[in-house]
Amino acid sequence: MPSSVHPQDQDQPMTDALPQEQEQEYEQEDVLELEEKRIVVLPGATETAASFQFEGEGHTLGNALRYAIMKNPQVEFCGYTIPHPSETKMNLRIQTYDTTNAVEALEKGLESLMDLCDVVTERFISARDAFNTSKADKMTS
């Protein structure tokens, strides 16, 4: 998979050339990273209105997630902010009608966004493969 698909992999050191001890340290850091909370419900939340803080996220996820959540007719309002440009945090506010709650709206929005990403990936791979096939056909002709 290309490194552009997973930019977080670019910062990870290559463990193939590391001594055994250093390799174990990096594995432990990865485990600790997975145990950290990436989404926190901010104080003052009610069932139909809540603010969530996403660690390590910015405008890319914020705008796409806001769009996906606002497509839900049970959501009254959704907006996001970046509290400070030097911090990698993104706050998302969701207000829903009484028919659903904010957490369900967030989950539905995340699922919708994942489905959209899957469709884009499938179409990209299909178009790339078709392009490579046509390019190969032209070279053999």
Side-chain angles (χ1 to χ4, degrees), residues 18-88:
L18 294 175
Q20 183 84 12
E21 294 172 5
Q22 285 181 332
E23 187 173 331
Q24 289 174 350
E25 284 179 31
Y26 288 120
E27 289 175 6
Q28 289 174 351
E29 287 177 15
D30 290 342
V31 170
L32 293 175
E33 210 172 282
L34 294 174
E35 292 176 2
E36 291 179 15
K37 293 183 180 177
R38 300 259 336 254
I39 304 173
V40 177
V41 179
L42 296 176
T46 65
E47 192 170 321
T48 59
S51 293
F52 305 89
Q53 187 169 70
F54 290 72
E55 293 288 333
E57 298 298 342
H59 290 287
T60 304
L61 178 66
N63 195 34
L65 189 54
R66 181 203 58 80
Y67 174 78
I69 291 171
M70 281 304 297
K71 291 190 67 97
N72 182 346
Q74 299 172 338
V75 173
E76 183 177 12
F77 170 82
C78 182
Y80 80 95
T81 63
I82 305 298
H84 193 276
S86 67
E87 294 180 324
T88 57

